[in-house]
Structures are given as structure tokens and as C-alpha cells.
Amino acid sequence: GWMNKHLNLVPALVVVFYELDWDEPQWKEKQSECATRVEIVRQSLQGRNTKVAVVLIQKKTPLPPGEDVIASERAAALCNACDLSGKSLFVLPHTDHLVGYIIRLENAFYEHAQTYYYTEIRRVKSHKEFLNKTTHQLLFVRHQFKIAFFSELKQDTQNALKNYRTAYNLVHELRAHETNMLEIKTMAGFINYKICRLCFQHNTPLDAIAQFRKHIDLCKKKIGSAELAFEHAAWMSKQFQAFGDLFDEAIKLGLTAIQTQNPGFYYQQAAYYAQERKQLASMLCNHDSSVIYPNPDPLETQTGVLDFYGQRPWRQGILSFDLSDPEKEKMGILSLQLKEKNVLHSELIITLLSNAVAQFKKYKCPRMKSHLMVQMGEEYYYAKDYAKALKLLDYVMCEYRSEGWCTLLTSILTTALKCSYLMAQLKDYITYSLELLGRASTLKEDQKSRIEKNLIKVLMNESPDPEPDCDTAAVKASQKLWADRVSLAGSNVFTIEVQDFIPFVQCKAKFLAPSFHVDVPVQFDVYLRADCPHPIRFSKLCISFNNQDYNQYCVVEEAYQKSDILEQSSQGTMCLVPGKTRKFTFKFVAKTEDVGKKIEITSVDLILGSESGRCVILNWRGGGGDAASSQEALQAARSFRRRPKLPDNEVHWDSLTIQASTMIISRVPNISVQLRHEPPALTNEMYCLIVTVQSHEDTVAKDVKLTAGLKPGQDANLTQKTQVTLHGTDACDESFPALLPDIPVGDLQPGEKLEKPIYIRCGTVGARMFLVYVSYLIDTIVEGKEILCKCHRDETVTIETVFPFDVAVKFVSTKLEHLDRVFADIPFLLMTDILSASPWPLTIVTTQLQLSPSMTPVDQLESYVENVVLQTGESASECFCLRCPPVTNASGVATGCYIISWKRSSPVESVPVVSTVITLPHVIVESIPLHVNADLPSFGRVRESLPVRYHLQNKTDLVQDVEVSVEPSDAFMFSGLKQFLGTTISAE
Amino acid sequence: MADTGRAGQTLENYPLYIRSVPTENELKFHYTVHTSLDVVDEKISAMGKALVDQRELYLGLLYPTEDYKVYGYVTNSKVKFVMVVDSSNTALRDNEIRSMFRKLHNSYTDIMCNPFYNPGDRIHSRAFDNMVNSMMMQVC
């Protein structure tokens, strides 16, 4: 009533706009017209305290106040005429600064409005003063609330909050009784809303939350009339929802919420109360359909509106707690109950839940979100919107599954199963049944048994029994749907991928070995195990491979003969007994094209049911395993538990590991490859490696091919420094390859032996790996099938390469003294020393000295070590007498090179000779001015004269003065010139 | 009367042990414990790795609901303990809760010391059951 009045009907200020300039010629007329208008406004306000103001819209810019005499005069006159104070007259010049003037006007109006509300507050306060606590308790609340409300209108939020708080406390001081409980709660809720809103506005969210908590704690127990308990729940729900809305709004305006304190919790709680309301309503409002709505409607009032919020329409304005008219009261309650019956509770709950979901999503609560979605799903289920329910439940199911919360998963699955039953959704029904029968389900045995029976019925194309606790009407409808499904032919094959859930059949496929030779049949086992309470039959088990050609060999079908399945069970082959592991062994011959390839099980299909009824294909991707099996495998691997011994033909399920792929490798070769050689290899020699291949096969080995040479994958430099050839007689050069591939050798008869020499030239020292690879084709028979197998054997050998010899070179004088430099034109000796480092004897075929142009030989350069055989550690030396003409180059002169032609000393003549070139060192040549040459006899006798002649040779172009003195040693007596001065002339 | 649900969980967040008194409405407590893991996860990640050794294992009140209080505790090996108590039970203050968690932790450590217990398996231990029972008796 009055709030709307003050909000929308009673103005605080009425402004009359009037076009009038100060220098208006017809001032008098205009003034009176304006005054009339103001009067009209006043009259229509009917004595309310509403302020009136006049704004004159003028075309001219006003002069500064006080200067315009006419203006002030006329203003006063106008005020008088209109009965206004000077403060309520304004001028709005219609000029350039319009916006500025408007803002000023706005502030002025605001002030007036505030004054108005201030007087209103004063008025209410003065009323309050006459009140007394005992008799006017209700009015106290009313007035306090009014004050707060006007303060709010005055935009004085602090005072408004203060007054609301007082009002709130006053509400709770009221004496509560069943009859006025609704009114009290309505008021409390209203004031609480106002307080919380203002708290959020003041950016004190904690105050808001505290107030709300207090409010809830105070009101939680105030249920009121037991027959209308749903009203209380509805009210509680509304409180939480309203607070959630306020909180959310505050967040939109910049407030930050946290994970544990966000609007989601309030929406969630609101949803809980809505659920409670629904329960209460279903309990209290279960009237027969024969109960008709009372007439006249007790909820109708004469005016169509209530005088006071929260009062019963049939009991308005009655303050007494006694029920004056119990009959009327009864009718009222009945009508409310009947009205409640029409409320769509589920819709309300779902809306609140989805609000909460949106909030929790924002505040990183994925599990809370899932939980609420489960509740939404359940609510949809109650609301009979099964499709939506199923969609939601299906969405969250995987989260509970992956986190391993089996109890929760089972409960969700149970609801989902009901939904799928009621909609007669075959595939979903089957899927949920499969999982509810599985090991992740915590259902009791009898429940599982019931579900399994239903599943078997479905597989036989019959209708299943209804799920328990379903709405009877819905069950009727669904039974019809199921009947339709049964009569409907076709589309009765369902493929269900199992890796996303935990079905009651587990599967593990395992190749017996990680690799199989192509001439041996590939074998693998498929283990199946059922967790359901009763044995279940299946009609077919088939396995698919990455090479689909094998699929046909790996099928177990009902129609198959017993001999096709290796292991028999007493229950028959096509039956899975709960708790027992069944093993199926398969065997097939791999194709020769698949040698070197991987054979992988891409899927295992287990077909339940039959083509005639319904067919369910359980499809395991890879070698089996479902959503839970990897975790289980991990646990099993960690476990130290001893497993009890089982009979031989049974296995522990946990100890089985999936092996979904195997390699097909070539047949084991039945030939021998031997290598004969004399290591180490010597640098640059044609090293002979004799390959002996002997066949031990029973049949002819066809198309034998030999690949020999440096093993690929070693250092790239080795490839360049290694050459391989079949012909050892002639030396090969760099252009020869390092690996000779596929040398055809022809066929090998059983027992035949074949020898092939291979020559290798290694240019550098070091170890090398050589590969000899022999391949051939052979026919074999596997499992009655003739196949052509490619076999190969390879041998690798590491050969060390060493230098055959070390060559040392030195320069000595003609007197065999060591020289570190030689003198121009003076003969000197070059000595070479070949030290054999080879473990095998070497023959030096010949040596040759190739001099550089700057050197000249003194005599014939012929080899002295021709055909010398060197054993290990022996050395061969020779020397050459050389002379070097004078040169200007100070750093050294190239001497030339030394070529040694050698070979391994071997009885075989054909070993080629290797020439090793050794570059001789540079030598420093020095020119000397004077060469002294002593001519000494080779021996002397005691007490006989020893004639010594010294030759002095001037090596320059210049004449030189020389002074010669001879210093005898103590062992000699001296005769002849001891000292002389002389001149030597130039040699030329 | 207090409803107490407790669960120990491993890193993978599946329940190792869960128990509630009274047993009616058990599902609801399972959900409550499950949803409380959101907050536990958030608290663990907020603590960061730096202070793994010195950090407080007791996480305190995880979040208040209308009717229950949910407390959390995380061991250094990230095994989570969650306790749900009736919010009307004012006898249980922070200290009591803390010591209850410590008791649980000790008992859990005893289980782990059992060479026949396989870490990650559901807990089936009479000693643990008795300890939990006695603790619940005390509270109720």
C-alpha cells in the first residue's frame, strides 16, 4: 500500500516549468498564468507536504544577481503571486551552457526532495513518540520501518540501514503466534532483504552475510501452522534465493567472492528448501480429487489487495490471536493447500539448482557442480522429464566413475536405469544394466540378480520387469513403449563401447609371446570374466586386428565345433560363470608380408544375445580393459599379497596382464655364417675377410644373397675411409662403396658350403664394425600351409685397423752427427727408419725417395731395403746423402716424400702391394760464410806426428780476412804454424 | 546427536574408508564428503610446494552448510581426511576436531605399517574400525 504510494504516486517535489523572460512585455498576464498553474498543481496535491518549485525557461543570459533590478523586482513579485519562497524559483536560461544549468537545477531539486523526506521522517517520528511499547508494538515496527524507508528515499543509506536494523530487532520482539507468524516472517524477510542490500551497497559483504545468518537462525524454527508447513519452506527458500540474488548482483558490481563463500551456496540451500517444500506439499496436500475449491474463495478480498503484507486474506486486520471463525479458517487453509498443489515444484527446484551450478562452476567447485547436477537430474526424473534427467546424469556419471566413488555412481546409475526404462531407451537401458551388474556397483546381490534377469529378457526381445519405486502411471506408459519396441523389427543390434564404463564382463587379451617367428603359428588367449550373479551366455566372440585378414581366424561362435576351442568348460563354451575366468585360445598363421610388422588387437567384440532377439556387441578397444582396469592393474602390481594356489587350468584375474600386440619376426635361419680373417687390419691394405656360408636346411635355400661391408649407422667419416670389394687383386680407390648390398650367390643345396672372400680397405686407423648378412628364401609348411619364408642371418665383426709400421726420419751430418738444420751446399745424410708395428710379418717390396726440386742427391738414390721381411718390432733403416743449394727461405725447405711399397708376407702371391707415402719433414737450410773442413787421418800413432790439414772455404762472394789460431790439447805436442793472419778469396 | 562421516582418500580421490553414524541418509554424506574435496584441493594447491614440510596438516573448517560442518586434514603424502559433524554439536571445538584428526592419522599410519596392507586398497582393518567407532561414540 503505502510504499507504492511513496515510491510512485506521491512526489517529493513538483516543478512547474514556465517560459518567461524578465523583460517580457506582457509580464502581468504571464505572471498570473504561471501563478494559476502553480495553484492547480497545489490543489491536486491535496495538502500533502510535497514541495513545489517553478523554473522559468528564458531565452536570454541572465545578468549577475543584484545588477538586474527589474529581474529581482519581478522575481519577488512572481514569488508572491505563486506563494513561493525565493528558494523555490529557478531560472533556466536556454543558452550555451545548458548542461551546466541543468546539473545545477538537479542538485537544487535534490535538496528540496531531501528536505521533503526529512520532514516526512520528522512527522513519523513525532507519531512514534505517542506510542507505548505494550499496546502499540506493531506500530513501533511500522514507524521504524517507515523512517528507514524515507531515509532510503532520501538517499541517506547509513541512517536507513541503522533504522532498518532497529526495525528488524523490533520485529523479533513481537509476540509470535500461529496467526501472525506469516506476517512477522514476511516483515522480517522484507527488512532483512533491505539490510542485506544496503550492506552490500556499503561494500560490507561480511555484515550482510552475518545479518542473513542471524535472520535465518531466528526464523528457521518459526514454522507457523503445521498444516501450512510448506509455506514456511517456501519462505525459507525464497530468503535464500533472494540473498543469493543480492550476492550475485554485488559480485556483478565488483565484489569478489571465494570458493567457500559464493552465491552458489545460497541457491543450493534455496533448492533444498524448495525440495522440502515439495515434500511437505505432497504430504499435506494429498487431497482427493473430489475435494473442491471452496466457494466463495476465501483468498479473495473485496479490494483485490491485502491491507497489510503477510496477513491472511480471510483474517485481515484482526489483531486477536484467537480464531474467531474456525470454519472460515479451515476453508482458508484448504484453499491454500489446493493452490499449493498446482505449484510446479520441480521447475522451481531445477531453476535454483541450475543457478547454483552456474555459480559453483565459476568458483572452482567441480564436484559440487556434479553433485548439484545429479540433484537436477533426479528432480527432472521426479518431474517426469526423463530425457533431460538422463542427459544430466549421463554427463556427470563419468566424473564419479573416474574418481572411484562407487556408492555414488551406483545411486546415479540406478536413477538413470529407471529413466531409461521409463523411456524404453534400449541402448541406455542395456548400458546401465551392464554397469550396475559390474564390479563398480555396490548393489545388493538380489538387486543385481533382478537386473540381470531383466537384461536377459531384453536380450531375448522381451519387455523387462519395471524398475521398483517408479510412478505407476509412468510404468504403464513405458510398458506400452516396450511392447512397441518388441514388435518393432530391425535395429536390434547395439554396439557398446566399454572403455568408458565398467561393464560386468571383463576382458583381457594376451599374446603368448611378445614376438612370433613367421613359421610358427601366432597364439593368444582371450580371458573373460563375468561379475554378474548368474551365468550368462554369449553367442559370439570375435577379435579384430590391425590387419583385418586375420579376423576370420579368431571367432568363437555357437555354431562352431567343440574342437575349435581349446579349453572346455563344464558349463559349455559359450557360458560365462560368475567369478570364474574363462580362457579362449586362438591360433593363426601370420602372413609372410607381415614379417617385421606388429600385429595388434584393435578390438575384442563379445556378442550377447542373438540375431533373432536382440544383439549387444560389447566392444573392447585394444586388448580389453575398461574405465577401471588400469587403476586395478596398478594396485595389483603394487600388491605383495600371496595369491592362493589355484588348479592348473585356472588363473588369477589380477595377475593377467594385457598384451595386445606382438611382432612377427622372420623364421630362424638354419645356416651358419663364419668369418675368417687375420686381425688387425693394416692401414690401406686390402684386408681379406673370408665368409663361409653353410646350409643346414633340409631343403634348397634359394636366392641366397650376401650383403657385406661396413655396418651402417657408424661415423660418417668411416664410410668414406672404408672401401669394400670382391676383387682383392687390384687396389681399390675412394670410389668404391663401404657396403656391398645383395650380392647374389645362387642357391645352396642342403649341407652345401660356400666361401666368399671380401676385401676391405681401411684408410684410417681405429675400430670398425663390419656386417655380413646372408638372406635366402625357403619353403616351409606351417599348420599344413606352405609358405615361402625369407630368412636371414647376420654376423657382425669388429676389426681394428693399425698402422703397419712407424717411419722415423732424421737428418745427420756426414759424420753422423745429429743436425737440427742443414747448411747450404754442404752434403748431409737423410736417414729413414721403418719400424714394423704389425703383428704379422711384412715384406718391404721396395722404397723410393722422391726429392723435392730444392734438394739434390749427392749420389745414386737406390733402395737398400728391397725385399726385406720385417717381423714385429724389427726395423729397416737406410740413408741417402743429399745436398741443398742455398735458399732464401728461412722457415724450412721441403725435403720430398718417401714411398714404401709393402705387403703382408703371405704365401699367397696375389696379395697386392700397398704403397705408403710418407711426407718427409721440412728442414731449415742455413747459409754459412766459411766452411772449415779438417782432413784428419783415421788414426795416429804414439810419438809419431799426426798431420792435420784444415781446408777453409769461403762460401761468400766477398774477400774475407781470417785469423786462425790453433789450440792444441794436452795430449798433443804441437809443430807448425800456431797462428796466422790471412785473406781468403771468394770461392768463385 | 552428531552425524559423523569420515573418509580417508588418496591422491586419486577415491574413498579408502567411509563411515557414518547413523547409517540412514548415508548417500547424502558421501556426497558431502565428495564435494568437500573441491575445497581440499583448492587449499592444497594454494599452499604451494614451498612449505610442504612445515605446513599445517589440519585444514580447518572447509565450508559451512546449513546443517553440518565439514573439516579437512591432509597428510604429507596427500591422504585426505574429511569429517562431517552436525553443526548443532557445539561441544566440538577446533581443538577437539584437531585431536580427532591426529588420532585418525596415527591409526592410518598404523595401517600403512602393516606389510600386508597395499597402499591404495580400501581399508578393512578391525583396529581402525574400533578406533573410529570409539571416536564416534564419544561424539554422539
Side-chain angles (χ1 to χ4, degrees):
Chain A
W2 64 267
M3 276 190 282
N4 183 43
K5 185 172 83 184
H6 283 286
L7 277 174
N8 299 323
L9 301 176
V10 180
L13 175 73
V14 177
V15 183
V16 177
F17 287 86
Y18 193 73
E19 246 178 272
L20 184 63
D21 276 286
W22 293 131
D23 50 0
E24 173 67 42
Q26 292 165 309
W27 172 259
K28 270 266 150 40
E29 288 82 27
K30 288 274 180 185
Q31 179 183 322
S32 61
E33 194 188 335
C34 178
T36 342
R37 282 195 190 187
V38 172
E39 197 44 45
I40 293 167
V41 168
R42 275 232 176 85
Q43 266 172 16
S44 61
L45 286 172
Q46 290 174 337
R48 293 222 165 250
N49 289 331
T50 306
K51 305 267 172 200
V52 178
V54 171
V55 176
L56 299 180
I57 302 169
Q58 302 191 330
K59 292 197 181 70
K60 292 194 183 107
T61 328
L63 293 164
E67 282 184 24
D68 197 342
V69 188
I70 310 172
S72 43
E73 249 173 42
R74 287 194 166 175
L78 189 64
C79 282
N80 239 344
C82 301
D83 194 12
L84 278 175
S85 81
K87 282 181 189 162
S88 307
L89 179 67
F90 303 95
V91 170
L92 177 65
H94 195 70
T95 54
D96 300 342
H97 308 289
L98 193 59
V99 177
Y101 285 115
I102 288 172
I103 289 169
R104 256 159 67 193
L105 267 184
E106 202 182 316
N107 287 332
F109 291 163
Y110 174 61
E111 250 167 57
H112 275 281
Q114 271 189 328
T115 336
Y116 167 76
Y117 285 118
Y118 179 68
T119 49
E120 284 296 300
I121 292 168
R122 289 280 299 275
R123 200 165 58 82
V124 177
K125 271 190 182 157
S126 66
H127 283 311
K128 210 177 80 174
E129 255 141 56
F130 295 112
L131 300 179
N132 114 11
K133 277 248 168 173
T134 45
T135 49
H136 299 110
Q137 244 189 343
L138 296 173
L139 282 177
F140 255 108
V141 179
R142 182 182 170 88
H143 289 321
Q144 196 63 46
F145 182 77
K146 264 195 167 174
I147 293 169
F149 188 77
F150 283 129
S151 299
E152 205 185 345
L153 285 178
K154 205 182 141 196
Q155 302 190 3
D156 179 2
T157 51
Q158 297 292 353
N159 266 324
L161 183 59
K162 205 176 83 195
N163 285 311
Y164 277 131
R165 280 191 194 278
T166 329
Y168 187 81
N169 292 336
L170 285 171
V171 167
H172 283 288
E173 279 170 24
L174 292 178
R175 203 139 61 91
H177 191 265
E178 212 169 275
T179 47
N180 69 349
M181 193 68 90
L182 181 70
E183 191 180 355
I184 290 179
K185 279 194 299 189
T186 311
M187 271 328 284
F190 198 87
I191 300 173
N192 172 64
Y193 179 85
K194 283 284 186 192
I195 295 174
C196 293
R197 214 187 110 174
L198 287 172
C199 284
F200 276 123
Q201 236 174 54
H202 291 159
N203 206 11
T204 50
L206 292 179
D207 287 357
I209 291 167
Q211 161 63 32
F212 182 70
R213 289 242 61 84
K214 191 174 109 191
H215 172 59
I216 291 300
D217 288 344
L218 281 171
C219 299
K220 211 194 276 183
K221 298 282 180 272
K222 295 191 174 164
I223 297 165
S225 161
E227 285 146 307
L228 296 173
F230 55 83
E231 249 186 353
H232 177 68
W235 180 82
M236 287 297 276
S237 171
K238 195 80 205 161
Q239 297 304 303
F240 276 98
Q241 188 190 359
F243 189 74
D245 285 341
L246 276 178
F247 200 167
D248 193 33
E249 209 169 289
I251 288 164
K252 275 180 195 143
L253 293 172
L255 187 73
T256 43
I258 52 167
Q259 191 191 34
T260 52
Q261 192 56 260
N262 69 56
F265 286 102
Y266 298 96
Y267 287 128
Q268 185 192 14
Q269 204 58 41
Y272 284 152
Y273 277 109
Q275 276 164 345
E276 197 178 309
R277 174 187 181 184
K278 187 177 108 177
Q279 265 170 21
L280 289 168
S282 69
M283 231 156 49
L284 296 170
C285 314
N286 52 355
H287 304 284
D288 277 343
S289 50
S290 59
V291 177
I292 46 159
Y293 195 77
N295 197 12
D297 190 349
L299 300 185
E300 287 279 311
T301 54
Q302 274 120 13
T303 50
V305 287
L306 289 172
D307 292 349
F308 295 100
Y309 287 108
Q311 289 193 343
R312 296 293 180 200
W314 63 89
R315 213 182 331 111
Q316 280 199 88
I318 302 167
L319 290 176
S320 142
F321 292 149
D322 305 323
L323 296 176
S324 50
D325 188 349
E327 195 51 40
K328 206 171 176 187
E329 187 71 22
K330 231 186 204 163
M331 288 326 272
I333 288 172
L334 178 65
S335 61
L336 280 177
Q337 286 174 339
L338 289 175
K339 272 224 159 125
E340 181 72 11
K341 229 176 163 175
N342 295 333
V343 175
L344 296 169
H345 291 104
S346 290
E347 213 165 84
L348 289 173
I349 296 168
I350 287 163
T351 318
L352 288 169
L353 284 172
S354 70
N355 275 350
V357 166
Q359 294 292 338
F360 282 116
K361 207 168 168 182
K362 238 195 285 183
Y363 296 102
K364 286 193 244 171
C365 300
R367 294 185 187 88
M368 186 62 101
K369 195 187 114 196
S370 305
H371 177 203
L372 292 171
M373 282 171 80
V374 170
Q375 288 185 322
M376 271 170 85
E378 281 168 355
E379 205 50 57
Y380 272 123
Y381 165 72
Y382 294 130
K384 302 200 173 60
D385 192 345
Y386 303 121
K388 273 192 184 142
L390 211 52
K391 205 171 152 195
L392 278 166
L393 293 175
D394 200 56
Y395 183 81
V396 290
M397 226 179 263
C398 63
E399 280 165 50
Y400 287 98
R401 193 182 292 127
S402 64
E403 292 216 81
W405 283 74
C406 297
T407 13
L408 303 183
L409 178 64
T410 308
S411 121
I412 299 167
L413 278 170
T414 314
T415 316
L417 184 70
K418 283 180 195 163
C419 292
S420 56
Y421 170 75
L422 293 174
M423 289 195 297
Q425 287 280 10
L426 269 173
K427 191 172 174 180
D428 290 332
Y429 185 82
I430 294 166
T431 314
Y432 299 137
S433 300
L434 286 172
E435 190 156 16
L436 277 171
L437 289 173
R439 60 201 189 283
S441 150
T442 55
L443 283 185
K444 296 263 175 353
E445 222 35 27
D446 56 331
Q447 287 292 314
K448 283 193 176 181
S449 159
R450 186 183 59 76
I451 291 170
E452 189 177 355
K453 276 180 193 144
N454 275 338
L455 180 63
I456 291 169
K457 274 189 185 167
V458 171
L459 290 177
M460 288 162 70
N461 206 4
E462 289 171 21
S463 301
D465 290 337
E467 290 297 310
D469 312 324
C470 282
D471 190 63
T472 39
V475 167
K476 282 229 174 69
S478 75
Q479 270 165 344
K480 219 172 146 236
L481 280 175
W482 279 101
D484 290 349
R485 291 259 192 274
V486 170
S487 58
L488 209 71
S491 71
N492 271 342
V493 179
F494 305 97
T495 304
I496 296 171
E497 307 255 336
V498 297
Q499 64 278 340
D500 302 329
F501 69 106
I502 308 166
F504 72 90
V505 186
Q506 297 181 71
C507 163
K508 285 180 181 177
K510 184 183 182 184
F511 279 104
L512 293 193
S515 62
F516 285 95
H517 292 290
V518 72
D519 59 336
V520 175
V522 176
Q523 289 193 31
F524 68 95
D525 292 337
V526 173
Y527 298 91
L528 290 176
R529 182 195 161 102
D531 304 312
C532 51
H534 304 295
I536 189 151
R537 293 185 68 77
F538 64 94
S539 53
K540 196 171 167 187
L541 172 68
C542 50
I543 290 99
S544 318
F545 296 90
N546 54 345
N547 184 343
Q548 294 180 353
D549 295 339
Y550 300 130
N551 294 1
Q552 52 183 320
Y553 305 116
C554 302
V555 178
V556 185
E557 253 179 308
E558 214 149 18
Y560 264 47
Q561 295 303 307
K562 275 193 167 185
S563 59
D564 282 304
I565 298 133
L566 296 176
E567 220 160 338
Q568 301 297 328
S569 116
S570 55
Q571 272 84 10
T573 50
M574 311 304 285
C575 197
L576 295 175
V577 183
K580 285 245 163 56
T581 303
R582 289 277 290 115
K583 179 167 110 175
F584 298 90
T585 301
F586 296 94
K587 183 173 189 188
F588 61 87
V589 179
K591 293 190 184 292
T592 45
E593 303 95 270
D594 280 343
V595 172
K597 286 184 191 157
K598 214 179 196 178
I599 294 187
E600 235 175 306
I601 297 177
T602 50
S603 69
V604 179
D605 290 330
L606 180 74
I607 292 140
L608 301 174
S610 59
E611 312 265 331
S612 57
R614 285 197 185 93
C615 233
V616 175
I617 304 171
L618 293 182
N619 172 276
W620 282 272
R621 212 180 291 151
D626 48 49
S629 51
S630 61
Q631 171 68 23
E632 282 163 359
L634 186 72
Q635 276 306 107
R638 276 194 205 154
S639 175
F640 300 117
R641 198 167 294 146
R642 273 259 306 276
R643 301 198 170 84
K645 235 178 134 107
L646 283 182
D648 283 344
N649 56 348
E650 284 180 51
V651 281
H652 279 287
W653 183 258
D654 286 344
S655 63
L656 294 172
T657 48
I658 294 172
Q659 163 100 42
S661 64
T662 189
M663 284 292 286
I664 299 301
I665 52 178
S666 54
R667 175 179 175 272
V668 182
N670 211 356
I671 55 165
S672 62
V673 174
Q674 280 173 348
L675 304 177
R676 208 143 41 83
H677 60 127
E678 295 175 323
L682 305 175
T683 320
N684 283 335
E685 87 170 314
M686 298 302 286
Y687 186 70
C688 182
L689 184 70
I690 296 164
V691 180
T692 312
V693 182
Q694 187 170 15
S695 163
H696 305 294
E697 297 282 1
D698 300 330
T699 50
V700 186
K702 290 181 286 191
D703 202 10
V704 182
K705 279 178 183 162
L706 182 70
T707 299
L710 195 68
K711 192 174 182 179
Q714 298 182 76
D715 192 355
N717 291 334
L718 286 179
T719 320
Q720 285 171 10
K721 293 291 181 191
T722 311
Q723 288 84 37
V724 180
T725 174
L726 289 174
H727 313 289
T729 43
D730 27 83
C732 55
D733 56 26
E734 308 269 295
S735 63
F736 279 65
L739 180 74
L740 292 175
D742 292 334
I743 311 154
V745 194
D747 294 352
L748 267 181
Q749 295 300 324
E752 196 185 334
K753 203 170 180 178
L754 182 128
E755 262 197 5
K756 193 94 187 162
I758 286 158
Y759 294 91
I760 301 163
R761 182 169 170 265
C762 304
T764 51
V765 292
R768 288 170 172 75
M769 289 233 280
F770 289 92
L771 169 78
V772 176
Y773 176 98
V774 181
S775 68
Y776 62 96
L777 297 174
I778 194 152
D779 288 317
T780 47
I781 293 164
V782 192
E783 301 271 296
K785 270 174 76 177
E786 189 169 301
I787 55 169
L788 185 67
C789 295
K790 207 176 165 200
C791 300
H792 64 86
R793 179 176 283 279
D794 50 14
E795 286 288 330
T796 52
V797 63
T798 305
I799 298 173
E800 193 80 29
T801 306
V802 297
F803 282 121
F805 39 70
D806 291 326
V807 177
V809 178
K810 56 186 176 186
F811 298 97
V812 291
S813 68
T814 45
K815 290 198 185 99
L816 298 177
E817 290 159 325
H818 179 76
L819 290 176
D820 52 0
R821 57 192 62 197
V822 298
F823 303 110
D825 279 335
I826 312 294
F828 61 93
L829 296 178
L830 172 77
M831 283 189 72
T832 61
D833 193 22
I834 305 167
L835 174 69
S836 166
S838 149
W840 309 100
L842 290 181
T843 305
I844 309 287
V845 177
T846 184
T847 61
Q848 197 192 348
L849 188 67
Q850 281 184 345
L851 288 178
S852 66
S854 55
M855 291 283 173
T856 48
V858 176
D859 51 1
Q860 282 285 306
L861 292 178
E862 55 185 71
S863 174
Y864 297 97
V865 292
E866 232 166 71
N867 293 324
V868 168
V869 176
L870 289 179
Q871 301 293 333
T872 314
E874 289 181 341
S875 66
S877 302
E878 51 184 334
C879 69
F880 304 95
C881 191
L882 307 173
R883 203 155 53 112
C884 185
V887 283
T888 48
N889 189 353
S891 63
V893 172
T895 320
C897 46
Y898 185 53
I899 300 162
I900 305 162
S901 301
W902 59 275
K903 61 177 188 179
R904 254 178 214 246
S905 308
S906 141
V908 188
E909 277 305 304
S910 62
V911 176
V913 174
V914 186
S915 292
T916 304
V917 178
I918 287 153
T919 309
L920 296 171
H922 285 218
V923 69
I924 299 168
V925 178
E926 212 167 74
S927 297
I928 47 166
L930 191 70
H931 182 227
V932 180
N933 196 13
D935 207 352
L936 271 173
S938 50
F939 63 92
R941 284 202 181 91
V942 182
R943 294 182 210 281
E944 276 184 25
S945 67
L946 179 79
V948 180
R949 186 185 301 166
Y950 291 96
H951 300 272
L952 277 80
Q953 199 179 355
N954 185 357
K955 290 282 185 185
T956 60
D957 299 340
L958 305 168
V959 176
Q960 299 185 53
D961 290 336
V962 287
E963 186 187 336
V964 181
S965 64
V966 184
E967 296 279 329
S969 79
D970 288 347
F972 288 90
M973 294 207 304
F974 196 82
S975 75
L977 285 173
K978 212 173 188 177
Q979 192 173 21
F980 84 94
L981 288 168
T983 309
T984 58
I985 51 164
S986 125
E988 271 72 42
Chain B
M1 187 66 184
D3 285 299
T4 325
R6 294 182 179 82
Q9 269 121 5
T10 60
L11 207 55
E12 287 89 15
N13 287 331
Y14 61 85
L16 291 178
Y17 186 90
I18 188 155
R19 197 175 155 83
S20 68
V21 170
T23 40
E24 86 243 12
N25 229 345
E26 201 174 339
L27 202 64
K28 184 176 156 193
F29 290 110
H30 285 217
Y31 275 119
T32 312
V33 172
H34 183 241
T35 48
S36 70
L37 292 180
D38 283 336
V39 187
V40 175
D41 276 359
E42 192 66 18
K43 287 206 174 192
I44 292 175
S45 67
M47 272 189 281
K49 282 179 183 156
L51 293 167
V52 166
D53 295 334
Q54 306 87 311
R55 77 179 172 81
E56 171 72 88
L57 303 178
Y58 177 54
L59 298 177
L61 184 67
L62 294 179
Y63 65 86
T65 64
E66 237 1 64
D67 311 310
Y68 303 100
K69 282 181 180 153
V70 186
Y71 297 93
Y73 185 92
V74 177
T75 70
N76 281 324
S77 54
K78 299 277 186 324
V79 176
K80 295 150 196 161
F81 295 98
V82 175
M83 211 180 309
V84 186
V85 287
D86 202 311
S87 53
S88 63
N89 192 333
T90 45
L92 286 172
R93 274 175 314 229
D94 223 37
N95 264 338
E96 278 82 41
I97 301 280
R98 200 186 287 256
S99 72
M100 278 162 84
F101 271 129
R102 215 159 285 150
K103 244 187 187 168
L104 271 176
H105 192 174
N106 286 340
S107 198
Y108 177 72
T109 317
D110 290 345
I111 291 171
M112 291 302 283
C113 293
N114 176 0
F116 298 105
Y117 174 73
N118 194 15
D121 277 352
R122 305 285 195 274
I123 294 171
H124 301 288
S125 151
R126 205 178 307 145
F128 195 76
D129 276 346
N130 290 341
M131 194 276 307
V132 172
N133 276 346
S134 70
M135 211 187 289
M136 285 179 164
M137 292 294 268
Q138 246 172 42
V139 170
C140 295

